Amino acid sequence: MEKCIVCDEAQKYGIHLYTSFICTDCEKAMINTDPTDPTYKYFINQLKVVTESKIMS
Ligand SMILES: [Zn+2]
Protein backbone atom coordinates (compact mmCIF):
# COMPACT_ATOMS: atom_id res chain seq x y z
CA MET A 1 0.00 0.00 0.00
CA GLU A 2 1.31 3.39 -0.97
CA LYS A 3 0.01 6.86 -0.36
CA CYS A 4 -1.40 8.55 -3.43
CA ILE A 5 -0.26 12.17 -3.84
CA VAL A 6 -3.57 13.25 -5.34
CA CYS A 7 -6.23 11.79 -3.03
CA ASP A 8 -3.80 11.44 -0.13
CA GLU A 9 -4.96 7.93 0.64
CA ALA A 10 -3.15 4.62 0.79
CA GLN A 11 -3.98 2.60 -2.31
CA LYS A 12 -2.89 -0.77 -3.58
CA TYR A 13 -2.88 -0.13 -7.32
CA GLY A 14 -1.44 2.76 -9.22
CA ILE A 15 1.50 4.17 -11.11
CA HIS A 16 4.78 5.69 -10.03
CA LEU A 17 5.69 9.13 -11.19
CA TYR A 18 9.19 10.17 -10.24
CA THR A 19 9.36 9.12 -6.59
CA SER A 20 5.64 9.56 -6.00
CA PHE A 21 2.62 7.37 -6.38
CA ILE A 22 -0.70 8.01 -8.09
CA CYS A 23 -3.49 5.50 -7.59
CA THR A 24 -5.39 3.97 -10.49
CA ASP A 25 -8.54 5.93 -9.68
CA CYS A 26 -6.74 9.27 -9.73
CA GLU A 27 -4.83 8.32 -12.84
CA LYS A 28 -8.10 7.57 -14.62
CA ALA A 29 -9.73 10.70 -13.25
CA MET A 30 -6.82 12.74 -14.51
CA ILE A 31 -7.02 11.30 -18.01
CA ASN A 32 -10.76 11.91 -18.15
CA THR A 33 -10.65 15.43 -16.78
CA ASP A 34 -11.05 18.29 -19.21
CA PRO A 35 -8.12 20.74 -19.05
CA THR A 36 -10.59 23.59 -18.53
CA ASP A 37 -11.97 21.84 -15.45
CA PRO A 38 -10.69 23.27 -12.13
CA THR A 39 -10.03 19.71 -11.01
CA TYR A 40 -7.46 19.38 -13.77
CA LYS A 41 -5.63 22.38 -12.39
CA TYR A 42 -5.58 20.70 -9.00
CA PHE A 43 -4.00 17.58 -10.49
CA ILE A 44 -1.34 19.62 -12.23
CA ASN A 45 -0.62 21.43 -8.99
CA GLN A 46 -0.13 18.17 -7.15
CA LEU A 47 2.24 16.95 -9.85
CA LYS A 48 4.12 20.22 -9.76
CA VAL A 49 4.78 19.73 -6.07
CA VAL A 50 6.20 16.31 -6.86
CA THR A 51 8.47 17.45 -9.66
CA GLU A 52 9.67 20.48 -7.72
CA SER A 53 10.51 18.47 -4.63
CA LYS A 54 12.42 16.07 -6.89
CA ILE A 55 14.52 18.87 -8.32
CA MET A 56 15.25 20.30 -4.90
CA SER A 57 16.43 17.03 -3.35
ZN1 LIG B 1 -5.45 8.71 -5.56
Side-chain angles (χ1 to χ4, degrees):
M1 297 280 275
E2 283 187 81
K3 201 177 167 190
C4 170
I5 55 143
V6 181
C7 62
D8 213 36
E9 280 180 43
Q11 304 281 356
K12 200 173 182 179
Y13 302 104
I15 54 156
H16 282 100
L17 190 77
Y18 300 96
T19 55
S20 296
F21 175 79
I22 300 171
C23 73
T24 312
D25 287 347
C26 291
E27 188 205 350
K28 277 185 194 163
M30 229 164 130
I31 293 162
N32 293 320
T33 303
D34 195 283
T36 57
D37 194 307
T39 316
Y40 189 85
K41 213 175 173 185
Y42 171 76
F43 285 137
I44 298 300
N45 253 325
Q46 294 298 101
L47 293 179
K48 219 174 145 195
V49 172
V50 174
T51 50
E52 276 172 7
S53 61
K54 161 99 176 168
I55 292 159
M56 282 170 84
S57 59

